[in-house]
Short mmCIF file of all heavy atoms in Angstrom, two decimals:
data_model
loop_
_atom_site.label_atom_id
_atom_site.label_comp_id
_atom_site.label_asym_id
_atom_site.label_seq_id
_atom_site.Cartn_x
_atom_site.Cartn_y
_atom_site.Cartn_z
N ASN Z 1 6.40 45.17 3.16
CA ASN Z 1 7.26 46.25 2.86
C ASN Z 1 7.67 46.32 1.38
O ASN Z 1 8.74 46.54 0.96
CB ASN Z 1 8.55 46.21 3.67
CG ASN Z 1 8.35 46.49 5.23
OD1 ASN Z 1 7.28 46.98 5.54
ND2 ASN Z 1 9.24 46.14 5.96
N GLU Z 2 6.55 46.12 0.52
CA GLU Z 2 6.64 46.16 -0.84
C GLU Z 2 7.65 45.15 -1.46
O GLU Z 2 8.16 45.29 -2.59
CB GLU Z 2 7.07 47.54 -1.31
CG GLU Z 2 6.05 48.65 -0.97
CD GLU Z 2 4.69 48.48 -1.59
OE1 GLU Z 2 4.57 47.89 -2.72
OE2 GLU Z 2 3.64 48.94 -1.01
N GLN Z 3 7.87 44.06 -0.69
CA GLN Z 3 8.77 43.02 -1.13
C GLN Z 3 8.13 41.66 -1.23
O GLN Z 3 7.24 41.47 -2.01
CB GLN Z 3 10.00 43.04 -0.19
CG GLN Z 3 10.80 44.34 -0.22
CD GLN Z 3 12.02 44.41 0.69
OE1 GLN Z 3 12.34 43.33 1.35
NE2 GLN Z 3 12.50 45.53 0.94
N GLU Z 4 8.57 40.67 -0.43
CA GLU Z 4 8.04 39.36 -0.62
C GLU Z 4 6.46 39.27 -0.31
O GLU Z 4 6.05 40.03 0.51
CB GLU Z 4 8.80 38.40 0.23
CG GLU Z 4 8.57 38.52 1.74
CD GLU Z 4 9.76 39.14 2.43
OE1 GLU Z 4 9.97 40.38 2.03
OE2 GLU Z 4 10.39 38.61 3.25
N ILE Z 5 5.86 38.29 -0.90
CA ILE Z 5 4.42 38.06 -0.69
C ILE Z 5 4.29 36.68 -0.01
O ILE Z 5 4.82 35.70 -0.58
CB ILE Z 5 3.66 38.16 -2.03
CG1 ILE Z 5 3.76 39.54 -2.59
CG2 ILE Z 5 2.20 37.76 -1.80
CD1 ILE Z 5 3.01 39.69 -3.95
N LEU Z 6 3.59 36.62 1.11
CA LEU Z 6 3.42 35.36 1.82
C LEU Z 6 1.94 35.16 2.21
O LEU Z 6 1.22 36.18 2.37
CB LEU Z 6 4.21 35.32 3.08
CG LEU Z 6 5.76 35.38 2.86
CD1 LEU Z 6 6.49 35.59 4.21
CD2 LEU Z 6 6.18 34.03 2.27
N ARG Z 7 1.52 33.95 2.34
CA ARG Z 7 0.17 33.68 2.71
C ARG Z 7 -0.06 34.10 4.26
O ARG Z 7 0.87 33.88 4.99
CB ARG Z 7 -0.20 32.25 2.45
CG ARG Z 7 -0.46 31.82 1.05
CD ARG Z 7 -0.86 30.37 0.96
NE ARG Z 7 0.34 29.57 1.42
CZ ARG Z 7 0.15 28.30 1.90
NH1 ARG Z 7 -1.06 27.83 2.06
NH2 ARG Z 7 1.23 27.62 2.22
N GLY Z 8 -1.23 34.41 4.55
CA GLY Z 8 -1.58 34.71 5.92
C GLY Z 8 -1.35 33.45 6.80
O GLY Z 8 -0.87 33.64 8.02
N LYS Z 9 -1.59 32.24 6.35
CA LYS Z 9 -1.37 31.12 7.13
C LYS Z 9 0.01 30.91 7.57
O LYS Z 9 0.35 30.58 8.70
CB LYS Z 9 -1.88 29.85 6.39
CG LYS Z 9 -1.71 28.58 7.15
CD LYS Z 9 -2.27 27.37 6.35
CE LYS Z 9 -3.73 27.41 6.34
NZ LYS Z 9 -4.30 26.15 5.68
N ILE Z 10 0.98 31.23 6.60
CA ILE Z 10 2.38 31.14 6.85
C ILE Z 10 2.83 32.19 7.96
O ILE Z 10 3.48 31.94 8.91
CB ILE Z 10 3.29 31.29 5.57
CG1 ILE Z 10 2.95 30.17 4.66
CG2 ILE Z 10 4.70 31.40 5.89
CD1 ILE Z 10 3.47 28.86 5.08
N LEU Z 11 2.31 33.42 7.71
CA LEU Z 11 2.69 34.53 8.62
C LEU Z 11 2.23 34.25 10.01
O LEU Z 11 2.84 34.58 10.95
CB LEU Z 11 2.19 35.82 8.02
CG LEU Z 11 2.92 36.33 6.80
CD1 LEU Z 11 2.15 37.55 6.19
CD2 LEU Z 11 4.32 36.78 7.14
N MET Z 12 1.00 33.73 10.11
CA MET Z 12 0.47 33.44 11.43
C MET Z 12 1.05 32.25 12.16
O MET Z 12 1.21 32.17 13.32
CB MET Z 12 -1.06 33.39 11.45
CG MET Z 12 -1.72 34.75 11.13
SD MET Z 12 -3.48 34.75 11.35
CE MET Z 12 -3.94 33.77 9.94
N SER Z 13 1.39 31.24 11.37
CA SER Z 13 1.86 29.95 11.89
C SER Z 13 3.40 30.16 12.19
O SER Z 13 3.82 29.62 13.26
CB SER Z 13 1.70 28.83 10.91
OG SER Z 13 0.29 28.62 10.55
N VAL Z 14 4.12 30.76 11.36
CA VAL Z 14 5.55 30.89 11.50
C VAL Z 14 5.96 32.23 12.17
O VAL Z 14 6.78 32.29 13.00
CB VAL Z 14 6.29 30.70 10.21
CG1 VAL Z 14 7.80 30.88 10.34
CG2 VAL Z 14 5.97 29.32 9.61
N GLY Z 15 5.33 33.30 11.59
CA GLY Z 15 5.57 34.67 12.14
C GLY Z 15 6.35 35.53 11.13
O GLY Z 15 6.73 35.06 10.07
N LEU Z 16 6.57 36.80 11.50
CA LEU Z 16 7.36 37.65 10.76
C LEU Z 16 8.83 37.47 11.05
O LEU Z 16 9.18 37.26 12.18
CB LEU Z 16 6.96 39.10 11.06
CG LEU Z 16 5.83 39.70 10.42
CD1 LEU Z 16 5.50 41.06 10.98
CD2 LEU Z 16 5.95 39.88 8.89
N LYS Z 17 9.60 37.48 10.02
CA LYS Z 17 11.04 37.22 10.20
C LYS Z 17 11.62 38.51 10.96
O LYS Z 17 11.41 39.62 10.49
CB LYS Z 17 11.75 37.14 8.90
CG LYS Z 17 13.21 36.67 9.00
CD LYS Z 17 13.80 36.30 7.63
CE LYS Z 17 13.31 35.00 7.09
NZ LYS Z 17 13.89 34.65 5.85
N LYS Z 18 12.29 38.15 12.06
CA LYS Z 18 12.86 39.29 12.84
C LYS Z 18 14.01 39.97 12.10
O LYS Z 18 14.73 39.29 11.40
CB LYS Z 18 13.34 38.77 14.16
CG LYS Z 18 13.86 39.80 15.13
CD LYS Z 18 14.67 39.24 16.35
CE LYS Z 18 13.66 38.67 17.34
NZ LYS Z 18 14.35 38.29 18.62
N PRO Z 19 14.16 41.22 12.23
CA PRO Z 19 15.38 41.87 11.62
C PRO Z 19 16.66 41.24 12.08
O PRO Z 19 16.76 40.79 13.17
CB PRO Z 19 15.20 43.34 12.05
CG PRO Z 19 13.83 43.54 12.54
CD PRO Z 19 13.35 42.25 13.00
N ARG Z 20 17.67 41.21 11.23
CA ARG Z 20 18.95 40.67 11.54
C ARG Z 20 19.64 41.65 12.60
O ARG Z 20 19.90 42.72 12.25
CB ARG Z 20 19.87 40.45 10.32
CG ARG Z 20 19.27 39.36 9.42
CD ARG Z 20 20.24 39.05 8.32
NE ARG Z 20 20.41 40.24 7.42
CZ ARG Z 20 19.61 40.58 6.44
NH1 ARG Z 20 18.55 39.82 6.22
NH2 ARG Z 20 19.80 41.64 5.67
N LEU Z 21 19.95 41.08 13.76
CA LEU Z 21 20.54 41.88 14.77
C LEU Z 21 22.02 41.70 14.81
O LEU Z 21 22.61 40.60 14.45
CB LEU Z 21 20.01 41.41 16.20
CG LEU Z 21 18.47 41.46 16.36
CD1 LEU Z 21 18.18 40.86 17.65
CD2 LEU Z 21 17.90 42.81 16.10
N PHE Z 22 22.77 42.69 15.11
CA PHE Z 22 24.26 42.65 15.13
C PHE Z 22 24.75 41.66 16.13
O PHE Z 22 24.31 41.70 17.35
CB PHE Z 22 24.86 44.03 15.45
CG PHE Z 22 26.30 44.09 15.46
CD1 PHE Z 22 27.02 43.83 14.25
CD2 PHE Z 22 26.99 44.37 16.59
CE1 PHE Z 22 28.41 43.88 14.24
CE2 PHE Z 22 28.43 44.41 16.60
CZ PHE Z 22 29.13 44.19 15.39
N ASN Z 23 25.56 40.71 15.75
CA ASN Z 23 26.04 39.65 16.71
C ASN Z 23 27.60 39.70 16.95
O ASN Z 23 28.15 38.71 17.44
CB ASN Z 23 25.56 38.23 16.26
CG ASN Z 23 26.22 37.90 14.98
OD1 ASN Z 23 27.11 38.66 14.38
ND2 ASN Z 23 25.78 36.78 14.36
N GLY Z 24 28.14 40.78 16.55
CA GLY Z 24 29.59 40.93 16.70
C GLY Z 24 30.48 40.50 15.58
O GLY Z 24 31.70 40.82 15.41
N ALA Z 25 29.75 39.71 14.61
CA ALA Z 25 30.53 39.23 13.47
C ALA Z 25 29.93 39.57 12.13
O ALA Z 25 30.59 39.57 11.14
CB ALA Z 25 30.73 37.72 13.61
N ASN Z 26 28.62 39.80 12.13
CA ASN Z 26 27.92 39.99 10.84
C ASN Z 26 27.95 41.48 10.41
O ASN Z 26 26.85 42.06 10.13
CB ASN Z 26 26.45 39.49 10.89
CG ASN Z 26 25.64 40.07 12.04
OD1 ASN Z 26 26.19 40.77 12.92
ND2 ASN Z 26 24.37 39.86 11.99
#
């Protein structure tokens, strides 16, 4: 999304960071 740059190995091993979901406090 035109922001951080990561290696494919990191993205496939760890995954894409999930959007921050509302938890009642954040």
Side-chain angles (χ1 to χ4, degrees):
N1 292 346
E2 300 295 331
Q3 296 175 12
E4 67 260 61
I5 298 177
L6 295 169
R7 285 180 296 152
K9 181 177 289 188
I10 296 294
L11 289 170
M12 289 188 291
S13 300
V14 178
L16 278 173
K17 190 174 289 186
K18 183 189 286 189
R20 290 186 298 276
L21 305 177
F22 181 66
N23 65 6
N26 58 347

